[in-house]
Structure formats: C-alpha cells, structure tokens
Amino acid sequence: MTATVPTIEELTPRVRAALTPLLGDALDSAADDAELAQALGDRYDSLTALECVTAVETAFGVEVDFVAHDVRYGFATVGRIAAFVRDLLEDRTALDAVS
C-alpha cells in the first residue's frame, strides 16, 4: 500500500491552522504568497519564525534541519511552508517505500 502525500492545496489550510495560535487573526488577511515578515510586521520576528518551525514540526510530524534546509526562504510565506512540508512528506514516503 502506497501512502498518498497531500497536495499543497490540502496542506495550506493545515499550515494556517498550525500557525494561527502563534500569529493570531492577522494571518487570515495574509495571502498565501505574501511575505509574512511584511504582512505581519513585528508579529513575525526571528523568535516567532522559530516558533513557527516548531509548530509545523509538531503538526506534521516532520523534522526541520536548520543546516540542510533553507528555513529563511521556506518559512517566508504560507505557500512556501506548505510546499516545504509537502516536500518533506514526499521524501519520507519515498524512503518508507524502499525500506
């Protein structure tokens, strides 16, 4: 049986749900491709970005490697976060299939 990896469209609302407790209602008005630092201003500082990484790791059961992954780019928009998560889930699924 092959696991199905969710699409970006399926992951985006889940990413928003994971980040809303940290970023609040302001996240609702940010477009998926909006730079969070610009859209949210001071609400998305470096500490909040790290908390968002932790929230995503917890919500999706993934591990972000700060050395191997370009976290600054990958966590800049909701859409990029969803794509980042999808890529990690695809990798995990592929590795599980061969093991």
Side-chain angles (χ1 to χ4, degrees):
M1 184 164 108
T2 304
T4 304
V5 176
T7 65
I8 291 176
E9 292 76 18
E10 293 168 330
L11 288 169
T12 300
R14 293 174 55 193
V15 167
R16 285 183 175 278
L19 299 182
T20 295
L22 295 169
L23 302 176
D25 295 337
L27 184 61
D28 293 340
S29 62
D32 292 343
D33 62 349
E35 296 282 334
L36 293 173
Q38 291 176 349
L40 303 176
D42 292 341
R43 293 185 84 169
Y44 196 71
D45 59 13
S46 59
L47 179 58
T48 305
L50 288 174
E51 291 172 337
C52 288
V53 170
T54 302
V56 166
E57 288 178 323
T58 302
F60 296 97
V62 296
E63 185 175 327
V64 177
D65 182 336
F66 286 91
V67 175
H69 299 131
D70 186 356
V71 175
R72 181 176 222 141
Y73 176 82
F75 278 73
T77 72
V78 172
R80 287 188 203 157
I81 296 169
F84 182 82
V85 169
R86 186 212 50 218
D87 292 346
L88 290 177
L89 295 175
E90 281 180 346
D91 291 349
R92 184 172 65 198
T93 300
L95 289 172
D96 289 348
V98 296
S99 60

